[in-house]
Amino acid sequence: MDKSSTLLVHYDKGTPAVANEIKEALEGNDVEAKVDAMKKAVMLLLNGETIPQLFITIIRYVLPSEDHTIQKLLLLYLELIEKTDSKGKVLPEMILICQNLRNNLQHSNEYIRGVTLRFLCRMKETEIVEPLTPSVLQNLEHRHPFVRRNAILAIMSIYKLPHGDQLFVDAPEMIEKVLSTEQDPSAKRNAFLMLFTCAEERAVNYLLSNVDKVSDWNESLQMVVLELIRSVCKTKPAEKGKYIKIIISLLSATSSAVIYECAGTLVSLSSAPTAIRAAANTYCQLLLSQSDNNVKLILLDRLNELKALHREIMVELIIDVLRALSSPNLDIRRKTLDIALELITHHNINEVVQMLKKEVVKTQSGELEKNGEYRQMLIQAIHACAVKFPEVASTVVHLLMDFLGDSNVASALDVVVFVREIIETNPKLRVSIITRLLDTFYQIRAGKVCPCALWIIGEYCLSLSEVESGISTIKQCLGELPFYSVSEESEPTETSKKIQPTSSAMVSSRKPVILADGTYATQSAASETTFSSPTVVQGSLTSGNLRALLLTGDFFLGAVVACTLTKLVLRLEEVQSSNTEVNKTVTQALLIMVSMLQLGQSPASPHPIDNDSYERIVLCIKLLCHRNDEMKKIWLESCRQSFVKMISEKQLREMEELKAKTQTTHAQPDDLIDFFHLKSRKGMSQLELEDQVQDDLKRATGEFTKDENDANKLNRILQLTGFSDPVYAEAYVTVHHYDIALEVTVINRTKETLQNLCLELATMGDLKLVERPQNYSLAAETSMQIKANIKVSSTETGVIFGNIVYETSNVMERNVVVLNDIHIDIMDYISPAVCSDVAFRTMWAEFEWENKVAVNTTIQNEREFLDHIIKSTNMKCLTAPSAIEGECGFLAANLYAKSVFGEDALVNVSIEKQTDGALSGYIRIRSKTQGIALSLGDKITLKQKGSS
């Protein structure tokens, strides 16, 4: 049922305008007072007030007014009031307004005529409109185009009414004549729209007879032409060849909106390579010509859709797509890179990498504040290219290594991870990478980057010169030993004052003294001497990055330094023939490790060394003191083997994800295949031939058969009432991104007709009903379908509840049947997604909302419980399978998902097996918004008990 939509405006009913006050204002002669009174009357109507007593007053005192504002408000008032009684018949008093409307349609002022005609477009009562038809037809020949274009729309609306074709029997013929003579673009567009809506054949004939002129038509008319073509091709797909020629001619139009619609229409109607290529080129041109970021994002979405269906054509346009990187917006750049990375092939990889390298160089200018973040995206893209095509690694790795000392830590970390993977997968680049890394190591200033760089040095320095250079580089970056000292001086210098405050005390021979800051001092001679507490030795200006980081208390880095030195010493023992040199190097390494332990245990350190780092450094010391072949094998071979295994698992995971993305379609063996080769090709263009080929391929591969699984559809049907209720109702719920569609089947199980049957719904949560409920009549023992649309604004668990209200013919009391609640599940909004470990940790640190759920389950196997949580929450496990395999009694894993609204959901599962076999621990959920954290927590709490 079509009903006119109204705009709901808030009106404060706490101080409502009294009908008598409005009546007095309307009866007066003050125009401004009348305008205010009419506005109040309209507001009251919008808020549900009927105020029938004002109707006669408005007819007497407002209808005769010549003021344009009053006339406009009068038409709004007439549009809002009820014009029919409960039986659907027009109220007798409505006849009073017909004469006024006729006068308006014959008014000397074109504005009054135009707004009255526009008002008639919204009139649904044939009895009111019927006497006005002659006046409406007269306005088709009015001199002013504003009147003519509204007259055409009024005729179209009246013609579409029930029995409207009897009021205007020859309306299509009249409008076709108007269309051929009309010069105003808007009136011409409305005339063509009327033919398209009410007499499609006439519109098609007019279009085909003016094919050569279509490109010269106005933008609004061209948009209607495209709409007509889409409609005709749906009903007559065999004729789409001649219409596609029109669309391709419109691709050269001046309007960006028309070009965009042309491209979209081409894609929807044809799968021929020529048509798809033309559409993709159009999107790429618009991507460069449009300045609005939202438009660019929409165009990238269209290109992404084309990539999924026609990848081989999009591969040719990868450079055109990458030109969108010129936009300073990070979202546009990110989406552009995502599309391009899935289009790289052996043929275009060199061009793509060359372009990405140029973009990386541009980020060094420092003109834009987000250059660091953009550079990180480019580095990740180049990394992905080098992994897929190792032959290009040599052209980019040395350029990227210049950014190891980047102030953007995330960018530098991406570079060092990239270098670590490339040096393993490209053995030919090992020597050049190690040489460059040792030359630039002193530039690295980030505590997160140094450990990875040190690991590379320890694993891939293989020759004698490389091992010696590696040890020398580490010693140089650590500076002179020791890292701190206790100095004794009679007067403190300025330097010591800056570094550490001094204290003095009277001491006697060989007595320990506790100084003011809690440190100890001893003195062998009895004298008054000033002692300074232990102070950090900052080293010379040439001292490197490792020293600076160690002095800030980064003892994890110290443990990595110790491990790297240990590996290098063990490697030196293999490649160096001189035991003297080996022993000398061992001594120097031991001195460095002991100095780090002393620093960690001294008061000069910002905080004491942690147990893990302490034990690691002590292990390295023991290993260097007691070297054997078995330990050498573990340190020099097993570590590398673990890394190789990790890379192979990562590549395997990526291949599985790629396979999952590719859609597999199946054709039935008895499906019809239409061989176009056996048909006559007479009169068919090349585009039509290509299109026919593509259709045959789709039929052969089963791409046309995409019917929804019936069993899955049955699972989504919810029973709303009981079987014993007089009205039985069930709903089929469809969740599609921001919309929830309810298809409610209502069955009258009684022997009498139900009148004014209404499905009243209400929502809880971030759900909003789109339309108001309507009344229906339902005959005895019959059924009907009622559709309701609900908008969703966030990822929260919502509830839809309500009732069915109806009346019977015997008893006019309203009967109510309460409906079961419909719970909208959060699982309908989130889907598994993938992100890097670095991105996961970054989001985990940034997100402020956390929900901590204690593990409470009957499942006794850690891996089984994790699989159950993954299945229940529809999330993706980011932790590698090798990291969670085995039986150790502990399990920690990260899960990730993304909602349709772009929200990220992070979950960390940490569980431990108790002595009695039960599992304990916590599941922590973090998100940027409160709704998804709470909803996901409730879901986990509900589902974690068992596999049900």
Side-chain angles (χ1 to χ4, degrees):
M1 292 178 65
D2 292 331
K3 279 199 172 184
S4 56
S5 61
T6 56
L7 174 67
L8 296 178
V9 181
H10 172 72
Y11 184 71
D12 187 6
K13 294 185 71 176
T15 56
V18 181
N20 290 335
E21 293 178 7
I22 297 175
K23 190 175 179 180
E24 289 175 7
L26 293 175
E27 290 174 354
N29 296 322
D30 188 354
V31 174
E32 290 185 5
K34 279 190 176 184
V35 169
D36 289 338
M38 285 299 296
K39 286 181 179 178
K40 289 176 182 177
V42 169
M43 287 290 187
L44 287 172
L45 285 170
L46 288 172
N47 280 279
E49 299 289 336
T50 54
I51 50 174
Q53 63 270 34
L54 287 181
F55 182 76
I56 298 301
T57 303
I58 288 173
I59 293 297
R60 289 180 62 191
Y61 296 99
V62 179
L63 277 183
S65 175
E66 293 290 329
D67 185 79
H68 290 179
T69 306
I70 292 177
Q71 285 295 322
K72 180 70 176 174
L73 290 169
L74 171 64
L75 293 174
L76 284 174
Y77 171 83
L78 294 176
E79 184 183 341
L80 290 171
I81 60 174
E82 286 292 336
K83 304 172 192 66
T84 57
D85 57 18
S86 58
K87 296 181 179 179
K89 293 185 178 180
V90 176
L91 296 171
E93 55 266 30
M94 288 298 114
I95 305 302
L96 297 173
I97 68 171
C98 286
Q99 184 59 41
N100 174 261
L101 293 174
R102 185 185 291 107
N103 293 339
N104 282 354
L105 292 173
Q106 298 171 356
H107 201 279
S108 58
N109 184 281
E110 61 271 7
Y111 175 78
I112 298 294
R113 288 195 183 206
V115 294
T116 306
L117 287 164
R118 189 177 294 176
F119 165 74
L120 290 178
C121 294
R122 295 184 284 274
M123 290 291 288
K124 304 297 180 186
E125 290 74 26
T126 310
E127 292 88 342
I128 298 176
V129 173
E130 186 175 2
L132 304 175
T133 51
S135 301
V136 173
L137 289 174
Q138 289 175 7
N139 283 293
L140 282 176
E141 301 174 0
H142 194 272
R143 59 180 177 78
H144 203 284
F146 176 72
V147 177
R148 296 199 302 274
R149 72 176 73 126
N150 283 297
I152 294 169
L153 290 179
I155 291 171
M156 180 177 72
S157 300
I158 296 169
Y159 191 82
K160 287 161 65 178
L161 291 176
H163 311 296
D165 52 345
Q166 298 176 9
L167 299 179
F168 291 121
V169 179
D170 54 350
E173 187 179 346
M174 285 189 296
I175 297 299
E176 191 173 9
K177 289 179 181 177
V178 170
L179 183 60
S180 59
T181 58
E182 182 60 62
Q183 298 301 318
D184 179 65
S186 296
K188 200 166 186 176
R189 176 257 179 198
N190 291 350
F192 190 79
L193 179 64
M194 190 273 173
L195 290 181
F196 164 42
T197 308
C198 304
E200 194 175 89
E201 286 297 326
R202 290 180 182 271
V204 170
N205 292 335
Y206 179 81
L207 174 63
L208 295 178
S209 61
N210 293 275
V211 170
D212 300 334
K213 301 176 184 177
V214 172
S215 55
D216 300 326
W217 286 352
N218 180 264
E219 172 189 346
S220 58
L221 182 54
Q222 288 175 342
M223 296 289 274
V224 181
V225 166
L226 290 172
E227 196 175 341
L228 171 68
I229 290 173
R230 284 195 292 266
S231 174
V232 172
C233 290
K234 269 185 184 177
T235 54
K236 301 175 182 177
E239 297 181 7
K240 65 182 177 183
K242 53 187 176 185
Y243 296 108
I244 288 177
K245 294 175 186 175
I246 299 174
I247 298 171
I248 291 178
S249 69
L250 284 175
L251 284 175
S252 57
T254 55
S255 167
S256 298
V258 172
I259 296 172
Y260 174 79
E261 285 296 326
C262 279
T265 306
L266 265 181
V267 173
S268 65
L269 295 183
S270 174
S271 53
T274 305
I276 300 301
R277 195 173 288 110
N281 275 318
T282 301
Y283 286 142
C284 290
Q285 290 168 11
L286 290 172
L287 196 58
L288 294 176
S289 63
Q290 298 301 306
S291 58
D292 190 285
N293 288 338
N294 292 320
V295 173
K296 286 178 180 285
L297 288 170
I298 292 169
L299 289 166
L300 286 170
D301 284 337
R302 299 291 85 77
L303 287 169
N304 196 30
E305 291 169 3
L306 284 181
K307 179 205 70 182
L309 297 172
H310 308 279
R311 184 180 181 275
E312 64 284 349
I313 295 172
M314 286 298 298
V315 165
E316 303 169 13
L317 303 171
I318 185 171
I319 300 300
D320 295 327
V321 174
L322 281 173
R323 289 196 179 99
L325 292 175
S326 58
S327 170
N329 184 276
L330 284 180
D331 291 328
I332 293 172
R333 286 171 162 174
R334 185 178 292 107
K335 191 167 280 192
T336 302
L337 289 173
D338 289 342
I339 293 172
L341 286 178
E342 295 187 27
L343 296 175
I344 53 176
T345 63
H346 286 286
H347 301 292
N348 59 30
I349 182 64
N350 291 323
E351 289 180 89
V352 171
V353 170
Q354 195 66 29
M355 196 164 184
L356 294 178
K357 282 169 64 178
K358 288 179 182 177
E359 291 295 318
V360 171
V361 173
K362 286 180 187 176
T363 61
Q364 293 178 289
S365 63
E367 295 175 2
L368 298 173
E369 57 180 80
K370 291 189 176 180
N371 266 349
E373 197 173 340
Y374 178 42
R375 182 160 57 246
Q376 183 186 355
M377 285 162 38
L378 289 170
I379 290 167
Q380 290 171 350
I382 292 173
H383 185 178
C385 291
V387 169
K388 285 184 180 178
F389 302 96
E391 62 270 16
V392 301
S394 58
T395 63
V396 294
V397 67
H398 297 298
L399 170 69
L400 294 186
M401 287 181 75
D402 291 337
F403 297 101
L404 282 172
D406 196 350
S407 56
N408 185 345
V409 178
S411 177
L413 192 58
D414 283 333
V415 172
V416 77
V417 169
F418 168 66
V419 171
R420 184 183 67 178
E421 189 167 344
I422 292 303
I423 200 172
E424 174 58 41
T425 55
N426 292 264
K428 294 179 181 178
L429 299 177
R430 186 193 63 79
V431 176
S432 60
I433 290 176
I434 283 293
T435 306
R436 187 65 180 274
L437 180 60
L438 292 174
D439 290 342
T440 57
F441 184 78
Y442 70 93
Q443 298 175 356
I444 303 174
R445 298 290 170 184
K448 293 182 178 179
V449 180
C450 280
C452 192
L454 285 168
W455 185 88
I456 295 170
I457 292 171
E459 286 294 333
Y460 296 97
C461 286
L462 303 180
S463 66
L464 177 60
S465 60
E466 289 170 353
V467 172
E468 289 176 344
S469 298
I471 295 172
S472 173
T473 301
I474 292 173
K475 285 167 61 180
Q476 185 181 353
C477 291
L478 285 171
E480 299 176 359
L481 300 178
F483 295 110
Y484 81 99
S485 66
V486 180
S487 59
E488 178 183 320
E489 51 193 19
S490 56
E491 291 183 6
T493 63
E494 290 296 321
T495 307
S496 65
K497 285 180 183 178
K498 290 178 183 177
I499 299 172
Q500 187 75 23
T502 61
S503 59
S504 61
M506 288 294 295
V507 297
S508 59
S509 178
R510 298 191 180 280
K511 280 192 175 181
V513 174
I514 300 176
L515 302 180
D517 60 354
T519 59
Y520 290 89
T522 57
Q523 181 68 17
S524 58
S527 62
E528 183 177 358
T529 310
T530 303
F531 292 94
S532 60
S533 56
T535 58
V536 168
V537 179
Q538 299 291 349
S540 64
L541 293 174
T542 58
S543 297
N545 46 356
L546 293 180
R547 186 185 192 90
L549 292 168
L550 278 174
L551 295 182
T552 59
D554 190 351
F555 292 106
F556 171 75
L557 177 62
V560 177
V561 170
C563 292
T564 305
L565 285 172
T566 303
K567 289 180 183 178
L568 291 174
V569 169
L570 293 174
R571 189 89 62 191
L572 182 67
E573 196 173 16
E574 288 185 347
V575 297
Q576 176 64 269
S577 58
S578 172
N579 288 332
T580 307
E581 288 296 324
V582 173
N583 292 335
K584 182 181 177 182
T585 307
V586 169
T587 306
Q588 292 172 345
L590 289 172
L591 182 60
I592 291 171
M593 295 178 198
V594 172
S595 298
M596 288 190 293
L597 289 178
Q598 286 181 336
L599 175 65
Q601 293 175 336
S602 75
S605 174
H607 56 80
I609 186 171
D610 58 283
N611 291 333
D612 290 338
S613 300
Y614 177 83
E615 290 174 3
R616 193 70 173 167
I617 297 173
V618 170
L619 175 65
C620 292
I621 293 172
K622 289 179 180 178
L623 178 62
L624 290 180
C625 294
H626 306 284
R627 301 187 294 278
N628 58 66
D629 293 339
E630 188 178 348
M631 294 304 293
K632 278 185 185 179
K633 185 177 180 182
I634 293 172
W635 279 70
L636 298 182
E637 296 179 15
S638 300
C639 188
R640 176 94 65 88
Q641 290 169 1
S642 299
F643 178 62
V644 171
K645 185 180 177 184
M646 186 187 82
I647 289 179
S648 61
E649 285 181 353
K650 178 188 170 189
Q651 292 173 345
L652 187 64
R653 222 166 35 243
E654 288 174 351
M655 288 177 62
E656 289 175 354
E657 288 169 7
L658 191 63
K659 285 181 182 177
K661 282 182 182 178
T662 56
Q663 298 177 350
T664 55
T665 54
H666 303 282
Q668 296 300 321
D670 56 346
D671 283 351
L672 178 67
I673 299 177
D674 191 3
F675 291 97
F676 87 102
H677 304 275
L678 305 179
K679 288 184 176 180
S680 171
R681 302 189 189 183
K682 189 176 180 181
M684 292 181 72
S685 65
Q686 182 62 30
L687 187 66
E688 290 175 278
L689 291 173
E690 289 178 9
D691 209 26
Q692 189 68 49
V693 172
Q694 294 299 318
D695 285 351
D696 289 347
L697 286 174
K698 285 182 179 179
R699 285 192 183 92
T701 56
E703 198 169 324
F704 282 153
T705 58
K706 292 184 179 178
D707 297 331
E708 190 178 0
N709 189 353
D710 292 335
N712 187 37
K713 191 171 182 179
L714 287 172
N715 290 336
R716 305 188 72 86
I717 293 178
L718 303 173
Q719 183 179 340
L720 300 181
T721 62
F723 292 113
S724 60
D725 288 320
V727 176
Y728 175 76
E730 61 183 22
Y732 173 61
V733 184
T734 307
V735 179
H736 182 70
H737 293 331
Y738 299 91
D739 301 300
I740 298 174
L742 292 181
E743 295 181 24
V744 183
T745 302
V746 181
I747 302 174
N748 179 5
R749 303 180 70 245
T750 65
K751 299 290 185 182
E752 52 189 347
T753 301
L754 305 182
Q755 298 175 351
N756 294 329
L757 183 140
C758 180
L759 174 67
E760 297 178 348
L761 296 175
T763 59
M764 190 167 64
D766 285 345
L767 306 175
K768 291 182 181 177
L769 284 168
V770 176
E771 63 265 308
R772 290 179 174 179
Q774 301 175 13
N775 292 335
Y776 304 92
S777 293
L778 189 59
E781 297 182 345
T782 58
S783 64
M784 68 181 303
Q785 275 201 341
I786 302 174
K787 293 186 179 180
N789 292 313
I790 295 167
K791 287 286 181 185
V792 187
S793 56
S794 75
T795 314
E796 276 192 41
T797 300
V799 180
I800 304 171
F801 55 94
N803 47 56
I804 292 176
V805 182
Y806 63 91
E807 297 172 355
T808 58
S809 54
N810 298 334
V811 184
M812 294 309 291
E813 292 181 1
R814 294 175 69 80
N815 299 291
V816 179
V817 178
V818 180
L819 305 178
N820 288 335
D821 295 345
I822 301 173
H823 293 269
I824 302 302
D825 197 351
I826 185 178
M827 295 301 105
D828 292 322
Y829 305 131
I830 69 172
S831 56
V834 180
C835 73
S836 64
D837 290 340
V838 176
F840 186 92
R841 292 192 193 99
T842 304
M843 288 188 288
W844 188 269
E846 290 176 354
F847 290 174
E848 55 186 7
W849 291 102
E850 177 173 310
N851 192 0
K852 194 173 182 181
V853 179
V855 173
N856 180 17
T857 180
T858 56
I859 301 173
Q860 295 191 343
N861 182 275
E862 305 98 309
R863 187 60 189 269
E864 185 185 340
F865 178 73
L866 176 65
D867 292 339
H868 175 62
I869 293 297
I870 292 171
K871 183 180 178 182
S872 302
T873 56
N874 196 26
M875 301 188 83
K876 173 77 174 177
C877 182
L878 300 182
T879 308
S882 58
I884 53 178
E885 64 186 11
E887 298 291 336
C888 64
F890 297 91
L891 188 145
N894 293 331
L895 314 181
Y896 179 65
K898 213 171 180 66
S899 76
V900 295
F901 308 102
E903 300 165 319
D904 300 289
L906 314 178
V907 172
N908 173 260
V909 181
S910 299
I911 49 179
E912 176 186 1
K913 195 165 189 175
Q914 301 295 327
T915 53
D916 60 354
L919 298 181
S920 66
Y922 291 95
I923 300 171
R924 295 166 67 193
I925 306 144
R926 286 198 183 183
S927 66
K928 205 168 189 178
T929 56
Q930 183 184 18
I932 195 168
L934 293 176
S935 300
L936 205 51
D938 294 341
K939 185 75 177 177
I940 290 173
T941 304
L942 184 68
K943 291 283 188 178
Q944 70 167 324
K945 286 284 185 183
S947 57
S948 58

